[in-house]
């Protein structure tokens, strides 16, 4: 009997990336799991010059009907 284990990195998640909680994105950014560029591109958030999530601007940008949608 043989056992094969396959380990894949990352995950595609479920649902829209724009529905991911901002606190979770901020944590991923702070812990280096995502870059500021990826956070802005994939999650529609605003990252300040300090490389931290701008919560107020991110909420505004992610509102339905905005360019980030």
């Amino acid at each position: 009997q043989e056992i094969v284990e396959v380990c894949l990195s990352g995950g595609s998640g479920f649902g829209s990336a724009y529905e991911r909680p901002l606190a979770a994105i901020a944590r991923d950014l702070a812990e280096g799991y995502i870059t500021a560029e990826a956070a802005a591109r994939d999650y529609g958030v605003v990252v300040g010059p300090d490389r931290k999530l701008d919560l107020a601007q991110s909420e505004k940008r992610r509102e339905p009907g905005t360019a980030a949608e």
Side-chain angles (χ1 to χ4, degrees), residues 10-59:
S12 60
F14 180 79
S16 172
Y18 286 80
E19 293 176 9
R20 183 165 172 78
L22 292 176
I25 299 168
R27 183 187 64 239
D28 290 347
L29 186 60
E31 293 180 3
Y33 291 120
I34 57 174
T35 63
E37 294 77 15
R41 179 191 65 231
D42 299 337
Y43 296 101
V45 297
V46 178
V47 180
D50 59 357
R51 313 286 289 173
K52 292 185 180 179
L53 206 61
D54 183 324
L55 295 175
Q57 289 298 315
S58 293
E59 285 180 5

Side-chain angles (χ1 to χ4, degrees), residues 6-12:
V6 178
C7 298
L8 303 174
S9 64
S12 60

